[in-house]
Structures are given as C-alpha cells and as structure tokens.
Amino acid sequence: MAYHALVQTAEAVRTTAAAAGLDRILVELVNLRVSQINGCAYCLDVHTRAALRAGETTRRLGVLAAWRDTELFTARERAALALAEATTAPADVLAQERAYDTARGSLNDDEISAVIWVAITINAFNRVSILSRHPVRETAARP
C-alpha cells in the first residue's frame, strides 16, 4: 500500500513537472543523476531507458556523472542537476545555497519546486529499490 502511494506521488510529480515546463529529458537527467549519487542500479536502468525513449543521447548519458566538466548540458540543465544534487545531500548547506542561487538564474519558482520534488521522489525510490534489492535483469528488448 505504501509503495502504491509512492507511485501515485511520482505520477503527481511528473504531472507537476510537465505543467511547470520541465521536459521529460530534464526530468530523466535529474532521476539519473540522483540515482548515480545513491548507487541505485535498478533506477539507473529504468531511467536510462526512459531517457533514451525521450530522445536523450548516449553521449550525454555517458558523461552525466561529470556534467560540470562538459559543455554538453544547457544552463537550465546544469541548474537543475546542481539543485538535484543539493537535494540529495541536504546536509551540505553551502552547496544548497549555491544551487539555489544558480537555479534562480535559469529556472522560475515553479520549475525549481518541480526539480526539488523530482529529486525527492527519486531519492525515495532509490532507497526502496536498494533496500528491497530490486534486481537488474537482462531483457530481450532494449532500451
């Protein structure tokens, strides 16, 4: 029952993100970056496939962990990724302040809120998947 509530929350967050103007690729980049930080193989698998279906490139996915060191991400994407990282490590107050300052230059209040909710939701799913030991299995169809 609690898992279904989390799924409903994710659906509401996805709708909110779209209404705020965040495209699916940006949402998936946030999902992936948070899942990289948390080391959730299951969520990385799910959201890599979702990002590819949404039109993301393998090149950008391949360097996502080092997004700060590339020119492949827009200012808007960089702001969202920094905010997602700060949401994932809330004890780092300085990183939070920098992330919020950067985000305010590229995202409006609704977009900032949506990015934070996407990050919060995927953090919750990461913990559920890691602690439940959800496996990543080979499938016949890729992506």
Side-chain angles (χ1 to χ4, degrees):
M1 187 155 176
Y3 182 78
H4 295 295
L6 185 56
V7 169
Q8 288 177 327
T9 300
E11 290 170 1
V13 167
R14 194 174 311 119
T15 299
T16 299
L22 299 183
D23 65 33
R24 187 59 188 251
I25 288 177
L26 180 55
V27 169
E28 293 306 336
L29 289 174
V30 168
N31 286 330
L32 284 165
R33 185 64 193 120
V34 170
S35 297
Q36 287 174 336
I37 292 166
N38 291 327
C40 182
Y42 185 81
C43 292
L44 284 166
D45 182 55
V46 167
H47 292 285
T48 295
R49 289 183 286 124
L52 290 169
R53 281 192 308 271
E56 184 54 270
T57 67
T58 56
R59 182 178 186 207
R60 284 177 19 121
L61 291 177
V63 299
L64 180 58
W67 63 269
R68 285 181 178 86
D69 300 325
T70 77
E71 296 178 356
L72 300 180
F73 299 93
T74 67
R76 181 178 165 85
E77 290 167 336
R78 295 165 92 67
L81 291 168
L83 195 54
E85 289 179 357
T87 303
T88 302
D92 189 344
V93 177
L94 185 58
Q96 277 185 18
E97 289 175 10
R98 282 193 310 259
Y100 275 99
D101 288 344
T102 299
R104 284 188 186 99
S106 298
L107 303 168
N108 67 38
D109 289 344
D110 289 341
E111 292 167 329
I112 290 170
S113 178
V115 167
I116 291 169
W117 274 103
V118 170
I120 288 169
T121 305
I122 194 62
N123 268 291
F125 273 107
N126 287 169
R127 280 145 183 81
V128 168
S129 292
I130 291 167
L131 294 171
S132 299
R133 296 190 170 115
H134 290 154
V136 177
R137 293 191 171 100
E138 182 61 40
T139 59
R142 292 277 176 191

